[in-house]
Amino acid sequence: MFTTRPTLQGTFGMVSATHWLASGTAMAVLEDDGNAFDAAVAAAFVLHVVEPHLNGPGGEVPIILAPAGRPPEVLCGQGPAPAGATVRHYRSLGLDLVPGTGPLAAAVPGAFDAWMTLLRDHGTKPLAEVLKYAISYAERGHPAVERIGAAVETVRELFETEWTSSAELYLRNGKAPAPGELLKNPVLANTWRRLLAEAEAAGPGRETQIEAAREVWRTGFIAEALAAAAAESTMDTSGERHRGTLTGDDLAAFSASYEAPATYTWNGWTIAKPGLWSQGPSLLQQLALLPGELEYATPDYYHVLLEGTKLAMADREAFYGDCAEVSLDTLLSPAYNEKRRALIGERASHELRPGSPDGLVARLSEHLEFVAAGGRIVTPAGAGEPTVAKDGATRGDTCHVDVVDRWGNMIAATPSGGWLQSNPAVPGLGFPLGTRLQMAWLDPGLPNSLTPGKRPRTTLSPSMALRDGEAVLAFGTPGGDQQDQWSTHFLLAVALREKVRGGWDLQGAIDAPNWHSDSFPSSFYPRAMVPGGVTVESRIGANVVEALEARGHLVTVAGPWSEGRLCAVARDPETGLLAAGANPRGMQGYAAGR
C-alpha cells in the first residue's frame, strides 16, 4: 500500500513526536547514551518551546512507561483542582460552566513534576543535560510552524487589550510569528537557567539536583509567580474578569504519582491506558464492544465502530471521573458488553445512551439539556483538529511523544495544557497556567464534578500495547475527545492489516483514512455535541459516505488529511527490531531512528 513515508526500522532507538525538533532532540539524547526516559524528558521540554500553542510547562501530562522486562505503569502528571475550587464558589460567581480560559480554569500544574519524577526514577542524565535543548531553542530561536501564528492571530485582540504579557512574547512589533520566522522565548530560557542554578546549588548529585528543581517549582520563585498570576483578575471566556483559586499551598502539596494502568485484552493484544480519571478506558470499551468478526474498512466496519464509540463515550460522560463509583471490571466484562452490543442496530443512533453498570443510574450535567428520549442537542462542535476561538477557548490542542531504546525501554506521553491561548503568560516565567478544570462540571455529585483535590477528567490518553506480557507498541495522538477514537482506529489498522518488511505497518496505519464521532458532549468549553454527527476524511471514499448517510449518520466530509495526528513506536521482543511512524497531517510530526 502507498504511504506518505516508510515505516522506519532499526535496532538502536526509535522516536516519534508531533514536532520534528522534539524527535531530533530525543534521538540526540539516545545517541549520547541516554535511555528512552531521558530522551522523552528532553523532547517534552522542547515541545513546550516549539509547540507553545499546544502545550506548556504549566500544563499536564499522563505517561505510560514500561522499563525493559517490567510491566507498564502510569505516571500521572494531571494536577487536581485547588483547595478553593468548589462548585459553590464558581456558582457564586454566576457561572454554569468553568470558563475555557483564565485562572479560574487552572488546575494545579502537573507536567513539570511528572517529568522530574520520571527523570529521577528511570533516567540516567543530569537535569542540565536534558534541559539544554529546550534552553537553546528558547534562547536562540526555532522556526515557527504555521499554526503558532494562526493561533496568535485568532487571539490578537485579547492579547493586545487584556493579556499584554502574552503580547510581549508573541506579538513582537505588533506581528504574529510568520511561518519559518525565528521565534524566541528568552524569558523561558532564563527561567530554566535560574532553576538549574538553584538546583545545582543544592549539591552535586543527580537526584539531589532533580529534587531541588522539584522544590523550586513547588515552593520557590516559580511557585510564587504562578500563585501571583492566579490571583490576578483576568478576562476569560465568560466575558468577565475573574481571579483563580490556585495558591502556593496547592502547588506545594502536589507530587506526581505512579499507578497501575487500566488494561483489556483483545485478540492477543493487551492494551494499557490511564484510568477512569482520564478518558483512556473508552478505548478499552470500544474494543470490548467489537463483534467477533469484522472486515476491515467496509461500510459495516465504520458503522459498528461509530456506534460502539457512542456507547463508550456515553459511559464516559456518565461514569468516568476521579470520583468514579463504577467498576472498570464491570465496564469491560463480557456480560455488560454483550448487553451494550445489542444496542448497535442497522441505523445510526442520535441519542446519548449510557448503560447501568453494577446497577448505577446515569447522572449527567443539567447543561446537557437532557430530554426524556435521551437525546442532547447543543451547539455543534468543531472539527477534530485543534480550533481556537477569539477568546482563547480551545478544543484538542495537545502534543505527543513515543520513544523505544535498544535496551527495550518504552514510553508514551501526551503533554498538553498551559498553551499560549489558555492564560496570560506569567511575567518573569515565559509561560501561562493551564485550563484543565474546564473539563469538570459545576453540578454537584457527578463523577466529574469540580471537587478540591480531585483530578478533572482529562482527554489526554497515551496508549501502550503488549503481546504475551511484553510491551511492543507505544502510540498516541493529540485531538481532545478524538484521541481515543483515532487511537482505536490506528490500533485496529495495525492489528488487522498485513505486515510490511517483517513488522507492523505503522506508517500505513497512521496514513489510513480516519474519522471521528461528534455524537457526545465535548470535554471543552462550551461542551458541544452533534447528535449522530461524524466527520470523515474525503479519502474514505464516496461509497462509505453514502452507506453511512443511508444508515442515518450525519456525515461531514472534511479534507483528505484532516483527521488524526498519531505517533507510534514498536519493538519485536524476539528479534529486537524497532520501528516507528509519524503523522503527515499538519506537516509537523516526524519519526526518527536507526
Side-chain angles (χ1 to χ4, degrees), residues 547-584:
L548 291 176
E549 289 179 334
R551 295 186 183 201
H553 296 277
L554 304 180
V555 182
T556 297
V557 180
W561 297 94
S562 57
E563 291 283 307
R565 287 193 281 149
L566 278 141
C567 300
V569 299
R571 178 178 182 269
D572 185 337
E574 294 184 4
T575 65
L577 186 67
L578 310 179
N583 172 54

Side-chain angles (χ1 to χ4, degrees), residues 128-143:
E129 288 193 29
V130 297
L131 277 182
K132 67 181 182 182
Y133 304 93
I135 292 172
S136 177
Y137 285 124
E139 197 167 57
R140 300 176 60 189
H142 59 93

Side-chain angles (χ1 to χ4, degrees), residues 444-519:
L446 303 180
N448 189 33
S449 295
L450 181 67
T451 306
K454 296 296 184 180
R455 295 167 288 189
R457 190 196 69 216
T458 182
T459 55
L460 305 179
S461 191
S463 304
M464 191 169 286
L466 293 76
R467 300 281 291 182
D468 299 322
E470 290 200 54
V472 297
L473 180 64
F475 58 103
T477 177
D481 295 291
Q482 285 73 47
Q483 288 184 31
D484 281 305
Q485 299 185 65
W486 293 336
S487 290
T488 302
H489 308 159
F490 163 79
L491 175 66
L492 293 175
V494 170
L496 299 177
R497 289 153 49 101
E498 293 183 3
K499 293 187 175 184
V500 293
R501 294 202 306 272
W504 295 305
D505 186 11
L506 302 185
Q507 193 62 50
I510 290 169
D511 289 353
N514 219 322
W515 70 97
H516 77 268
S517 170
D518 290 314
S519 195

